[in-house]
């Protein structure tokens, strides 16, 4: 009897089990990108410095990374492009080795200038403001969990003010239209902050920011209180409810727990009747 009840309970639990989410890491070291054959070359690919985009597949899910910044001038604000950049345009990704990571060099910067060649919120010896971001484009919707950082400079408050925000495909299209500012792409109030975890260089989202195919990651303030920050990207961690592999789970109708238990009780009653029928009386 007890054994039969245990079997029923196991069947019930199995029937009610749902697909669990799985965390996936994308390690952006050059060796991983080479082995996957997903390097998308820029003008200087032979030296592993310059790229228009990079792509890496992990556990069946691909992420394509591009660099962006509000480094295009807005002539309606001033005739001086260097001081009044506002329009978003694509920049280059620069790779500075496995111990440092990837930075963004926008249209106003030089790859030889430090920290201009990182992902930062300032430029050209602090003369004007550029807000660099990296766009993470996944092959399926994910919940971003955090990033790994290599080299960084955390400004005056000794805190790296990193943030992430989920955006739509229309927002991504607007980034290329030559007229959009960051305010047109996302609202800063929707950006989730990312905080350092322990002594490692892993930074995790402080709250659940939802699920999306497209994520922007960068510094969540633009020279706020003259707190200039910069970092280089080493890795990405995200969660997918498909369990990895890029294949959605097959939906199978689940019988209710009550129905299964009722069938189990019917099985017990039947077994008792059979036992009584063939019982020998001495």
């Amino acid at each position: 009897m007890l054994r039969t009840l245990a079997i029923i309970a196991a069947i019930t639990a199995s029937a009610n089990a749902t697909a669990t989410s799985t965390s996936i890491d994308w390690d952006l070291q050059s060796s991983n990108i080479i082995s996957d054959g997903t390097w998308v070359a820029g003008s200087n690919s032979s030296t592993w410095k310059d790229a228009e985009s990079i792509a890496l597949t992990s556990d069946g899910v691909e992420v394509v990374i591009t660099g962006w910044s509000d480094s295009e001038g807005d002539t309606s604000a001033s005739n001086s492009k260097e001081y009044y950049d506002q329009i978003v345009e694509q920049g280059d990704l620069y790779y500075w080795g496995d111990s440092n990571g990837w930075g963004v060099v926008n249209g106003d910067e030089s790859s030889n200038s430090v920290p201009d060649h990182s992902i930062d919120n300032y430029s050209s010896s602090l003369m004007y403001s550029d807000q660099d971001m990296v766009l993470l484009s996944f092959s399926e919707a994910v919940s971003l969990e955090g990033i790994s950082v290599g080299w960084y400079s955390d400004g005056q408050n000794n805190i790296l003010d990193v943030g992430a925000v989920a955006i739509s495909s229309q927002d991504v299209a607007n980034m290329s239209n030559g007229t959009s500012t960051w305010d047109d792409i996302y609202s800063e109030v929707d950006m989730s902050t990312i905080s350092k975890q322990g002594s490692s260089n892993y930074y995790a989202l402080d709250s659940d920011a939802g699920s999306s195919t497209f994520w922007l990651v960068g510094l969540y303030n633009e020279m706020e209180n003259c707190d200039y920050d910069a970092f280089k990207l080493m890795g990405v961690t995200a969660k997918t409810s498909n369990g990895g592999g890029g294949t959605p789970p097959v939906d199978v109708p689940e019988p209710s727990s009550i129905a299964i238990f009722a069938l189990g009780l019917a099985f017990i009653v039947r077994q008792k009747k059979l036992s009584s029928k063939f019982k020998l009386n001495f």
Side-chain angles (χ1 to χ4, degrees):
M1 176 71 173
L2 291 176
R3 181 183 176 185
T4 304
L5 287 174
I7 294 173
I8 294 172
I11 294 174
T12 303
S14 175
N16 289 330
T18 57
T20 58
S21 58
T22 301
S23 293
I24 302 175
D25 295 315
W26 290 264
D27 186 348
L28 301 179
Q29 293 190 2
S30 60
S31 57
N32 293 338
I33 296 173
I34 294 173
S35 64
D36 279 352
T38 50
W39 172 260
V40 183
S43 60
N44 197 25
S45 60
S46 61
T47 61
W48 284 100
K49 291 289 187 183
D50 184 11
E52 295 175 354
S53 65
I54 58 172
L56 180 65
T57 299
S58 180
D59 204 8
V61 181
E62 183 185 53
V63 59
V64 178
I65 303 176
T66 50
W68 299 80
S69 185
D70 55 353
S71 54
E72 180 59 50
D74 183 356
T75 56
S76 64
S78 170
N79 292 327
S80 176
K81 171 185 175 182
E82 286 73 20
Y83 285 88
Y84 293 94
D85 293 338
Q86 292 186 21
I87 304 303
V88 174
E89 63 179 354
Q90 186 171 354
D92 284 339
L93 293 171
Y94 270 68
Y95 177 66
W96 304 112
D98 290 343
S99 62
N100 291 303
W102 295 87
V104 173
V105 177
N106 65 52
D108 291 333
E109 297 173 329
S110 166
S111 61
N112 297 320
S113 299
V114 179
D116 291 1
H117 60 214
S118 62
I119 302 164
D120 59 75
N121 60 350
Y122 58 106
S123 203
S124 187
S125 300
L126 313 185
M127 289 178 61
Y128 57 93
S129 170
D130 285 333
Q131 184 81 7
D132 297 337
M133 306 285 281
V134 288
L135 173 65
L136 310 176
S137 303
F138 295 91
S139 57
E140 65 180 75
V142 301
S143 297
L144 189 66
E145 293 186 301
I147 62 171
S148 297
V149 171
W151 176 91
Y152 68 92
S153 173
D154 52 15
Q156 297 179 3
N157 63 2
N158 297 318
I159 298 174
L160 191 60
D161 298 320
V162 184
V165 61
I167 62 174
S168 68
S169 57
Q170 183 58 57
D171 294 326
V172 175
N174 291 342
M175 289 168 61
S176 302
N177 65 14
T179 62
S180 295
T181 67
W182 282 132
D183 288 339
D184 297 325
I185 306 302
Y186 69 90
S187 173
E188 190 166 303
V189 297
D190 295 328
M191 180 170 280
S192 297
T193 56
I194 305 179
S195 299
K196 189 173 184 179
Q197 301 297 300
S199 59
S200 69
N201 277 11
Y202 178 73
Y203 288 71
L205 267 71
D206 293 336
S207 60
D208 186 0
S211 179
S212 178
T213 307
F214 304 104
W215 291 84
L216 282 173
V217 174
L219 300 166
Y220 62 78
N221 64 59
E222 188 166 1
M223 296 200 312
E224 183 176 344
N225 299 321
C226 295
D227 185 33
Y228 306 103
D229 287 352
F231 71 96
K232 294 172 184 174
L233 186 65
M234 292 280 287
V236 176
T237 301
K239 181 170 58 179
T240 169
S241 60
N242 294 338
T247 304
V250 178
D251 292 329
V252 179
E254 297 180 357
S256 69
S257 299
I258 296 177
I260 293 175
F261 198 76
L263 288 173
L265 288 176
F267 173 77
I268 292 173
V269 172
R270 182 174 182 275
Q271 289 297 102
K272 290 184 68 175
K273 286 183 177 180
L274 288 175
S275 298
S276 299
K277 181 177 180 180
F278 293 101
K279 184 176 180 179
L280 297 177
N281 295 313
F282 292 97

